[in-house]
Amino acid sequence: MSKAHVIGLGKSGVAAARLLKREGWEVELSDGNTSKTLLQQQQELAAEQITVKLGQSLELNGDNLPQLIVVSPGVPWDIPVLIKARQLGIETIGEMELAWRNLQSLPWVGITGTNGKTTTTALIAAIFQAAELNAPACGNIGYAACEVALSWKGKRAGGAGEAGEAGEAFDNSSLLTPHSSLLTPNSSLDWVIAEVSSYQIESSSSLAPRIGVWTTFTPDHLSRHKTLENYYNIKAKLLRQSELQVFNGDDAYLSQLGLSAWPNAYWTSVKGRDFLISEKGFYIEDGWVVEKLTATSAPESIVKVSTLRMVGEHNQQNLLMAVATARLAGINRDAIALAIQEFPGVPHRLEHICTWEGIDFINDSKATNYDAAEVGLASVKSPAILIAGGEAKAGDDTGWLAQIQTKAAAVLLIGSAAPAFAQRLQEVGYYSYEIVETMERAVPRSAELAKEYQAPVVLLSPACASFDQYPNFEVRGDRFRQLCLAWAAGEKLQHNLMLSSSL
C-alpha cells in the first residue's frame, strides 16, 4: 500500500487525510502542536485507521519514506523538510491540489487577490446557488476543498454524481461556518467555487479553473514570499492556467500591466466604459452593471448596482467581478439580481454588529493589512473611532495613515504593534491615540470616545494579523462582537434599572 503523509491537523489536513484514506493510501498525519482538541481529533482519526503524530514534525530518515506529502495551506512551502522531500523525489503537493485531482472533471471558479477575494467568492457562490446550481464555496472560505471532494463520489462511482445529475444540494446556510457533516455524500456537483490564497496556489501545480478571477494586488505576505515579484508570479500562475480570466481593472497594479500582460482577459471598472482596459468587459454606467462580451457586441444592462446592500466602491468592484463570472458561466439576470438582493455580506468584513446610542459598531477584523484597513476606514461615516493593531505586517502604511488623519476622531491601539503604530502616528502629526493593549479595554473606551467626539461609528479595522493575541482574525472578530453586544446590552440594562428606580 502506498504511503502518504499529511502535514497540519487543521480542517484542510484532516479532510486531505480522509480523502487519501478513501483512495486507498496508508495515511499518516503530523502536527507540531498538541492540545486537548488535537488529542480528541487524534482519537477520532485513529478509529478511521489514520495515524496522527502530535508535537512532532515529519522526518525523512530511513527506508520507510512516503510516496506523497500533502501540505496544509498554513505550512510554508520552503521549510527544510519539504525542500529535502523534493530533492528526494517525493511528490509534494498542497491540499488544494489534492482536491483538484479528485474534482477536475468539474468546472471550477478560482478567485485570488490580496483583498476582496472572500466577499467576491461568497457573492459568486450565492449567485450560482440562486441559479439552482450546486456550487459550494471552498478553499480559503467555507469548506476545505478536500471536504468537497470527499462529499462527491463521482470519481469512485464510475461517473455517478456527474454535474447536472439529480441529487441533494449543499446546505448553503453555513458556508461561512462550515462543518463537514453538512456535506451530503454522493451530492451532485455543478461547479466548485474556490477562494485560493497565494499559499494554496504555490503548492498547486496543475490547478486550472474554468474561470479565474483576480481581485486586487498589493504587497502582502512578503515575510513568506520574500519579493513582490515572487508574490505576483504565484498569483499569476492561477490566472495563466485558467481558461477564462476576470480582472479588476480599477486596481492600480493590475491596470498598469493591462492588455500587454493579459490580452484575453475580461476587465472591469466601476468608473464606466471609458475606463475599460479592453474592448470587452463589465462596467458601471447610470447605476447599472453593464456587460460587453466581445469587441463588437452591444452593451447589455444586467443588474442595478443599488441592489447590493453593502457599502463602498470596493464592494462595487467585487460586484462587477462576481457578475462577470456568473455571466461567463451562462447564468441569467434574474438569478443574479435575486442573489445580490439577498446577499448579507461576509462576517468580519465591514460587518455591522449593533447600534448603541446612535453609534454603529462595525467589525472589519478581516482587514489584516494596511490596504484593507484603508478601504475599511474609507467606507464608513466620519468621524470614526478606530481600533487598530495586532501583529504587524510589512507594507506601505502611507495611504492608511492619510485615511486616519482624514476620518478618525481617535485611534485605540491594541496588540504587539501598538507602540510602533503610536510612533508612526506621531511622525505624521496625529496625536489623538491611546494604547489600550486589549480588545476588552478597547470596546468600552471606544464607546466613551464616540460619545465625546459625537462619532457615528466605532470601527475595528486592525491593519494587522491577529496571531499575537488570537488564533486567527475570525476569533478576533468574534471577540469584538461579543464585547460590543455585551456592552450594548449592559448599558441598556443599566438604563432600564435607572428608569424603574425613578418611578
Side-chain angles (χ1 to χ4, degrees):
M1 185 184 293
S2 297
K3 184 178 179 182
H5 189 101
V6 179
I7 302 177
L9 187 62
K11 179 174 66 173
S12 298
V14 170
R18 285 178 168 148
L19 181 58
L20 287 165
K21 185 67 180 176
R22 194 189 78 184
E23 296 298 310
W25 292 78
E26 178 190 343
V27 183
E28 184 176 272
L29 195 155
S30 66
D31 195 298
N33 299 311
T34 186
S35 68
K36 189 176 179 180
T37 303
L38 293 178
L39 286 166
Q40 185 178 345
Q41 282 186 302
Q42 182 184 44
Q43 292 176 345
E44 290 174 6
L45 291 166
E48 301 172 35
Q49 296 181 312
I50 296 171
T51 302
V52 176
K53 294 184 175 180
L54 296 177
Q56 54 186 291
S57 302
L58 170 63
E59 292 184 1
L60 298 174
N61 300 317
D63 299 326
N64 191 26
L65 297 176
Q67 284 74 52
L68 176 68
I69 296 173
V70 179
V71 183
S72 298
V75 178
W77 193 234
D78 58 355
I79 58 175
V81 70
L82 295 183
I83 294 172
K84 183 177 179 180
R86 291 191 284 271
Q87 289 171 344
L88 290 170
I90 300 171
E91 186 175 20
T92 307
I93 63 173
E95 178 263 346
M96 179 69 71
E97 172 72 11
L98 178 63
W100 165 255
R101 292 181 182 186
N102 282 265
L103 294 170
Q104 61 184 305
S105 61
L106 297 168
W108 284 49
V109 178
I111 303 98
T112 196
T114 309
N115 297 308
K117 57 183 178 293
T118 297
T119 302
T120 304
T121 302
L123 189 49
I124 289 170
I127 294 171
F128 278 57
Q129 290 151 15
E132 299 185 352
L133 293 168
N134 196 6
C138 68
N140 220 33
I141 178 179
Y143 305 110
C146 280
E147 285 183 294
V148 177
L150 270 169
S151 75
W152 188 64
K153 295 293 184 74
K155 183 179 177 186
R156 293 198 76 191
E162 286 294 332
E165 184 180 298
E168 291 187 31
F170 280 79
D171 181 340
N172 304 326
S173 63
S174 297
L175 268 176
L176 300 175
T177 53
H179 300 281
S180 58
S181 61
L182 294 174
L183 292 163
T184 307
N186 293 315
S187 293
S188 67
L189 281 179
D190 299 310
W191 284 78
V192 177
I193 314 296
E195 178 186 331
V196 194
S197 70
S198 57
Y199 298 178
Q200 290 163 318
I201 299 168
E202 190 176 32
S203 59
S204 298
S205 56
S206 64
L207 176 60
R210 176 75 57 82
I211 303 170
V213 182
W214 196 335
T215 59
T216 55
F217 185 74
T218 53
D220 199 10
H221 305 302
L222 296 187
S223 59
R224 172 153 167 173
H225 299 313
K226 310 307 179 192
T227 67
L228 189 65
E229 182 183 18
N230 190 39
Y231 179 43
Y232 171 83
N233 287 332
I234 290 168
K235 295 280 191 191
K237 184 173 86 167
L238 181 75
L239 276 293
R240 290 193 187 104
Q241 293 181 181
S242 299
E243 186 178 329
L244 300 170
Q245 302 154 341
V246 175
F247 279 81
N248 175 5
D250 295 324
D251 181 82
Y253 194 100
L254 297 176
S255 63
Q256 280 185 346
L257 297 169
L259 293 175
S260 59
W262 304 98
N264 299 314
Y266 291 84
W267 293 84
T268 67
S269 179
V270 300
K271 301 171 187 174
R273 182 174 176 177
D274 291 344
F275 291 86
L276 211 57
I277 287 174
S278 70
E279 295 184 359
K280 63 181 184 182
F282 293 74
Y283 54 93
I284 292 176
E285 192 168 81
D286 298 327
W288 283 79
V289 172
V290 180
E291 77 172 16
K292 195 171 186 304
L293 288 178
T294 68
T296 56
S297 63
E300 190 174 342
S301 298
I302 303 301
V303 65
K304 278 190 172 181
V305 176
S306 59
T307 308
L308 184 70
R309 289 183 282 172
M310 298 165 67
V311 299
E313 187 177 276
H314 67 290
N315 279 320
Q316 294 182 6
Q317 292 166 340
N318 297 336
L319 172 65
L320 276 173
M321 290 180 285
V323 171
T325 301
R327 293 297 289 167
L328 293 175
I331 294 174
N332 65 46
R333 288 190 209 78
D334 291 343
I336 292 171
L338 176 65
I340 293 167
Q341 184 177 343
E342 295 181 349
F343 188 68
V346 176
H348 312 295
R349 192 69 182 109
L350 291 170
E351 175 192 11
H352 183 269
I353 301 300
C354 63
T355 302
W356 169 78
E357 307 241 338
I359 302 158
D360 291 326
F361 287 76
I362 295 176
N363 169 23
D364 197 33
S365 181
K366 198 174 189 305
T368 59
N369 56 47
Y370 297 119
D371 298 288
E374 181 185 344
V375 167
L377 195 49
S379 300
V380 301
K381 296 175 186 174
S382 61
I385 307 301
L386 174 66
I387 301 172
E391 185 178 291
K393 284 184 174 182
D396 183 357
D397 63 2
T398 310
W400 177 63
L401 291 169
Q403 196 68 236
I404 287 174
Q405 290 174 293
T406 303
K407 297 199 70 169
V411 179
L412 297 174
L413 298 173
I414 63 173
S416 62
F421 278 8
Q423 185 177 337
R424 288 293 291 137
L425 289 168
Q426 287 183 33
E427 287 170 4
V428 298
Y430 186 96
Y431 294 94
S432 185
Y433 69 83
E434 297 175 22
I435 295 178
V436 293
E437 296 180 343
T438 66
M439 196 76 76
E440 286 72 18
R441 292 179 189 155
V443 168
R445 183 62 180 142
S446 70
E448 293 168 5
L449 289 172
K451 296 199 86 173
E452 180 182 330
Y453 287 100
Q454 297 184 311
V457 171
V458 169
L459 173 68
L460 168 67
S461 194
C464 282
S466 58
F467 305 125
D468 58 331
Q469 294 179 316
Y470 301 94
N472 51 51
F473 72 80
E474 291 98 339
V475 174
R476 176 173 62 190
D478 289 341
R479 184 61 179 148
F480 176 72
R481 184 190 296 110
Q482 290 168 356
L483 291 164
C484 291
L485 294 174
W487 171 265
E491 286 296 306
K492 286 172 187 172
L493 179 63
Q494 188 178 20
H495 181 66
N496 291 338
L497 287 172
M498 287 172 64
L499 279 175
S500 62
S501 62
S502 64
L503 294 176

